[in-house]
Amino acid sequence: MTKIIPSIEVPVIQKGITSKVNLYNELKNKNVVIFGVPGAFTPTCSEKHMPSYIKLHQQIINNGIDDVYCLSVNDSFVMNAWLLSYTDGDKLIGIADGNGEVTKDLNLLSDKTKSHMGIRATRFVMIVNNNEVQKIFIEDPGEYRVSSAENLLNNL
């Protein structure tokens, strides 16, 4: 079954500026990558996942991708601060899915209440063309392999 990006309004952060946009409209007629992380400022997300997409951003764009988005079930203030904490964080566009609505619609929620983190996004990466998910790579709990920028590049 084909997954479609939902028509849900969320804060999107681009170059330090937050705008509430309908995600479906934002991605219309675009070929994009969306990688999802369990949480901004968490160890694997901050030390491996986000840096891999910043480092390989231009190579991803050179493979026919219009933009690279990072989605997290965090509020827009946290997402903006996290993106700004990286020298080249403004290469990426943040999706602050604070209520988990987009993540829930795409069936990518993860219950992290045992770790006192609440409900979060599963670690993933997807290639989306005109709002249709073309490929999706979902990590097993505690893993960081298939959602890396390196693995994505091998699959573009």
Side-chain angles (χ1 to χ4, degrees), residues 45-151:
C45 304
S46 294
E47 296 164 12
K48 296 179 182 178
H49 213 173
M50 176 77 82
S52 77
Y53 281 91
I54 293 171
K55 179 183 175 187
L56 298 176
H57 180 267
Q58 192 57 53
Q59 289 178 48
I60 294 168
I61 297 300
N62 291 348
N63 275 276
I65 299 298
D66 296 313
D67 291 305
V68 178
Y69 290 79
C70 176
L71 178 145
S72 184
V73 180
N74 284 111
D75 64 63
S76 61
F77 305 106
V78 169
M79 280 297 290
N80 192 26
W82 192 40
L83 287 165
L84 292 174
S85 74
Y86 293 90
T87 302
D88 290 326
D90 63 350
K91 290 179 178 179
L92 306 177
I93 302 171
I95 301 171
D97 188 22
N99 294 333
E101 295 171 288
V102 173
T103 309
K104 181 179 181 182
D105 186 273
L106 294 169
N107 197 29
L108 292 168
L109 281 180
S110 177
D111 184 347
K112 303 230 180 248
T113 54
K114 288 182 181 178
S115 301
H116 301 281
M117 292 178 63
I119 305 299
R120 299 295 182 118
T122 299
R123 190 179 306 283
F124 69 89
V125 64
M126 61 176 71
I127 302 165
V128 179
N129 188 356
N130 194 26
N131 285 301
E132 185 175 305
V133 177
Q134 303 293 306
K135 291 182 184 176
I136 186 165
F137 302 94
I138 302 170
E139 295 286 1
D140 289 330
E143 293 287 323
Y144 171 70
R145 293 178 300 109
V146 299
S147 66
S148 69
E150 294 81 2
N151 187 61

